[in-house]
Amino acid sequence: MEAAAVKPILRVAAVCGSLRKASYNRGLLRAAAEVCEESIPGLRLEHVGISDLPLLNTDLETADGGFPPAVEAFRDQIRSADCFLFGSPEYNYSIATPLKNALDWASRGKNCWADKPAAIVSAGGGFGGGRSQYHLRQIGVFLDLHFINKPELFVQAFQQPPKFDSDGNLIDAEIRERIKQVLLSLQAFTLRFQKKD
């Protein structure tokens, strides 16, 4: 009797573009971590913080190509990930400044994002953060990120019934299931992508 093939443990770096603790986008990422733990074997989601990153300033880089300690730590986390899940709020039809700053720091020198799969979830107003997702995909072309195409998840956070509690935690079971579908797609895409190597 042959042993069942065991899927490798994939490390998903979850990056939230909002710094606010009760951010709905952070709530989507928290829910994603719970879904992984509860029902997706082989997928482990770890939040990667960006609040300690200084604003991008190449004067902070050392002569030998080094970076400030917070940036080095962030870059190490990005390098060690197998894939990424972005929680991307929409600000003025684009991604939030903290997320752009994080993308830029990890692309300096040797691009830490390059050639890795990614997915995006977002919560916001009328379009549910959709414009930020499309802009992030555009930035991802230069960074050599490989986004899953489907399913997409845009949460209209301010429409009834409530989707989040006052602490930004997801309370909508249908959206939780849709997050699971995003994660399963990311997992399958990452495994296919790694087989190409």
Side-chain angles (χ1 to χ4, degrees):
M1 180 185 235
E2 292 183 30
V6 178
K7 287 184 180 177
I9 302 289
L10 297 176
R11 295 175 311 269
V12 183
V15 181
C16 183
S18 174
L19 303 182
R20 192 170 66 88
K21 288 180 184 173
S23 159
Y24 295 152
N25 290 280
R26 188 176 306 284
L28 292 175
L29 296 181
R30 279 194 301 270
E34 292 165 3
V35 167
C36 284
E37 191 172 318
E38 294 165 2
S39 62
I40 306 181
L43 204 61
R44 186 180 72 227
L45 191 143
E46 298 171 354
H47 178 75
V48 178
I50 62 174
S51 61
D52 292 336
L53 296 176
L55 286 177
L56 181 69
N57 178 350
T58 56
D59 289 342
L60 299 176
E61 296 175 17
T62 62
D64 63 351
F67 299 95
V71 174
E72 288 285 7
F74 174 71
R75 289 171 57 88
D76 286 345
Q77 289 179 294
I78 297 305
R79 266 193 300 270
S80 68
D82 295 302
C83 56
F84 308 106
L85 179 64
F86 294 98
S88 185
E90 181 178 316
Y91 291 10
N92 300 320
Y93 282 17
S94 186
I95 64 173
T97 302
L99 179 55
K100 181 65 167 74
N101 189 54
L103 292 167
D104 291 344
W105 270 123
S107 71
R108 299 283 305 155
K110 183 169 174 26
N111 179 6
C112 301
W113 307 106
D115 220 23
K116 292 188 182 183
I120 315 168
V121 295
S122 61
F127 194 16
R131 292 178 196 92
S132 73
Q133 287 200 26
Y134 294 146
H135 195 190
L136 181 53
R137 286 175 180 273
Q138 183 181 22
I139 294 165
V141 171
F142 183 81
L143 298 178
D144 200 20
L145 281 166
H146 302 279
F147 287 101
I148 63 169
N149 290 323
K150 293 180 181 170
E152 295 177 309
L153 180 60
F154 314 109
V155 178
Q156 295 177 324
F158 307 108
Q159 297 207 355
Q160 294 299 317
K163 314 293 187 289
F164 299 90
D165 65 18
S166 60
D167 294 323
N169 297 306
L170 182 66
I171 57 173
D172 185 293
E174 179 185 340
I175 294 171
R176 182 177 286 269
E177 178 58 31
R178 290 175 62 200
I179 288 172
K180 181 177 180 180
Q181 297 310 309
V182 168
L183 291 167
L184 288 170
S185 179
L186 178 61
Q187 181 182 39
F189 183 56
T190 304
L191 290 170
R192 281 196 317 270
F193 201 82
Q194 289 181 342
K195 281 183 186 174
K196 291 179 1 181
D197 291 342

